[in-house]
Amino acid sequence: MEAGAIRPGYELWRPNREKAEAKSARALVVFLLLVSAGLALVITLGGWSRLEGGKIFALLYVALYVLFAFLVARWNRGVLPVASALAIILAIFAGIAAPAWFDRAKDGLTSPALPEDLLGLLTLLLVPLQVILIAVAMVAFNQDWHVEEERPIGEELPPAGPPDEEAPPPARARKRTTGRRTTRSTSTRRAPARRPRKA
């Protein structure tokens, strides 16, 4: 049989994807990616007139995060380390950019579409959000969504029910006793050791 071929009557399935913790991790990663993309988009559009050279970079981040969310929703495990790496970079840039927005909240400076204090707060929120995204993405990556196994076609996992009650211990086999007493034959008895005679 060729490598990668499936035996007749069998199908491939991925048991790790059926676990509740894997489904929760996937949903949380998708949620964090979409929230990060939404915040980045609001900050970019809200401060568009005052952004210098980072407009294309910010829009590229938004597009990548939305793409990663779509791929993770389809159980693509390979984008999780890439998303974590991009989250580290975004957290660094957000930590540097947030104080700059607060510094612009002064009289005499033209304001962007959104108030500078609000933009600074949203930018500051991106930092812990990216840290959480990195942690959850690494947990999801270690869940091995890609592991495949063969199973007979039509076979499904049994529903998860309450744990079965402890089964009683197996009964010990009873020894059969008879009314007769077992006697040892004289041939099997050991003769007492004789003492040597004194000369």
Side-chain angles (χ1 to χ4, degrees), residues 67-122:
L67 176 62
F68 289 167
F70 173 75
L71 293 176
V72 172
R74 295 173 59 87
W75 294 104
N76 190 317
R77 176 176 173 263
V79 300
L80 293 174
V82 183
S84 299
L86 292 179
I88 295 173
I89 299 173
L90 183 57
I92 294 172
F93 277 102
I96 296 172
W101 284 118
F102 289 115
D103 292 340
R104 285 190 55 85
K106 298 176 182 178
D107 296 334
L109 297 177
T110 56
S111 299
L114 292 177
E116 291 88 345
D117 290 335
L118 178 59
L119 292 173
L121 179 61
L122 294 179

Side-chain angles (χ1 to χ4, degrees), residues 120-153:
L121 179 61
L122 294 179
T123 307
L124 203 58
L125 284 176
L126 275 177
V127 178
L129 192 62
Q130 300 313 295
V131 174
I132 298 173
L133 174 59
I134 294 166
V136 177
M138 288 298 94
V139 170
F141 183 77
N142 291 326
Q143 290 176 343
D144 295 332
W145 297 348
H146 64 293
V147 174
E148 295 178 342
E149 294 181 4
E150 282 187 348
R151 68 175 177 183
I153 295 176

Side-chain angles (χ1 to χ4, degrees), residues 35-52:
V35 170
S36 299
L39 278 178
L41 184 61
V42 170
I43 295 168
T44 303
L45 297 179
W48 186 267
S49 60
R50 292 295 170 261
L51 290 177
E52 298 179 0

